[in-house]
Amino acid sequence: MAIEQASLTEISDVFYRDVQSLGMSPLWRSTQPGPRDGVPAAPYQPCHWSWSDIERSLVRAAAIVKPGPEAERRALQLCNPGVAPSPSPTHTLTAAVQMVMPGEIAPSHRHTMAAIRFIIQGDGAITMVNGEPLSMTPGDLILTPGWCWHGHINRTEAPMIWMDGLDVPLVRSLKAGLYEGYPDELHPATKPIDHSVSRYGSGHLRPVWEQTSTKISPMLKFPWAQTEQSLRDLAKVDSSPFDDVAMQYTNPSTGGHVLPTMGCWMQLLRPEAHTRAHRHSTCHVYHVFRGSGSTIVDGVQIDWKQGDFFALPPDCWHEHLNRSSSEPAFLFSTNDLPVFESLGLYREDAYAERDGHQEVVASYAARYGDSRN
Ligand SMILES: [Fe+2]
Ligand SMILES: [Fe+2]
């Protein structure tokens, strides 16, 4: 019997060696994708960045580098140790905070990776996207679809600071990343300022001679004044149990997402709002535009205030709280929802226990405070 077992082991070993040398792999020895019990779980940690750290670091960066040949962009990438070595907050999205000082130009270039900018500080600098000058005001969302020439110029008296969000990790995983520098400093303007806002900015009307729909929003800027008004109007009549008053920026030609690879949301958490927990297969990068509060992620409480950023991994339970009894909180976020929807991979579950609220088991600092070291 022992001899028979030994010979079977020997035969197996020879078999596995042979199939490997023939460029094959036995499926029954492969690692199964995802949890074996079919229950989703966050594949990596959430992450939080405080505005005071970001702002202080940007001021230091301004003394060290200038936009141009030495640093095409003065931008600090937000890095979640949970997705290292990718310098990004989630596995599909990058986020950075960029500063352009008075008189500076961040030269034009283009890449197949799409980008969004959410304006944080300063007023009146210009982002040039394929010949359209777009003026920047806090709360505005500006799109830079893939392969559009884009550069930035600050002719104001104050620094401009904004969030950059890109689909870099996703596009790189598809081996579709291409980059090209513009031969001159700034790609020239060929259209009036905020041209696409004049064309499509009403939100519910479009020129009658334009009937085509495109997957990329033809409107490249979404002004804050309209966004805020829409949220305050919606708050009067409806809300979501999981996101309170949340709206998706939409492509005026389709009503769908603004970009094929990235969705953008702005949500208003009403004073003392406490949403119910849920989880979904998409990941989100949040920027706290206004207000202060907390987000509980798999039992870990992230306290946030104006200017902070935090990243939610896929499949984490999460719920939001506005700690103020008088002021709304406004959270801007980017996500990979368009990709999940188009691939049929979107899943969402509501947290069924404890009336939809998680037990807080740790603060973010206690659980992850040392994770960047
Ligand atoms: Fe760029
Ligand atoms: Fe969510």
Side-chain angles (χ1 to χ4, degrees), residues 7-23:
S7 67
L8 185 58
T9 305
E10 203 173 291
I11 291 167
S12 295
D13 288 348
V14 171
F15 168 75
Y16 288 126
R17 265 202 313 275
D18 286 350
V19 290
Q20 188 178 7
S21 72
L22 294 169

Side-chain angles (χ1 to χ4, degrees), residues 32-159:
Q32 296 294 319
R36 296 298 301 272
D37 58 4
V39 177
Y44 51 86
Q45 67 167 80
C47 206
H48 171 251
W49 297 263
S50 75
W51 177 246
S52 56
D53 287 348
I54 293 169
E55 188 175 37
R56 199 167 46 238
S57 303
L58 283 172
V59 169
R60 292 174 66 191
I64 294 171
V65 291
K66 291 201 174 308
E70 62 173 329
E72 192 140 323
R73 298 289 187 259
R74 186 195 289 117
L76 293 171
Q77 295 176 295
L78 304 182
C79 305
N80 181 347
V83 293
S86 178
S88 57
T90 76
H91 67 301
T92 54
L93 302 166
T94 58
V97 188
Q98 182 167 170
M99 182 160 75
V100 179
M101 297 296 283
E104 289 181 344
I105 293 176
S108 292
H109 63 204
R110 64 179 177 176
H111 34 73
T112 49
M113 289 71 93
I116 62 92
R117 332 237 167 248
F118 184 80
I119 315 308
I120 299 172
Q121 249 182 44
D123 200 355
I126 295 289
T127 282
M128 194 78 77
V129 180
N130 263 5
E132 178 173 347
L134 296 155
S135 63
M136 305 166 98
T137 297
D140 290 352
L141 171 68
I142 290 177
L143 307 181
T144 305
W147 213 236
C148 287
W149 292 112
H150 58 280
H152 317 293
I153 178 166
N154 184 359
R155 291 202 185 104
T156 76
E157 304 290 313

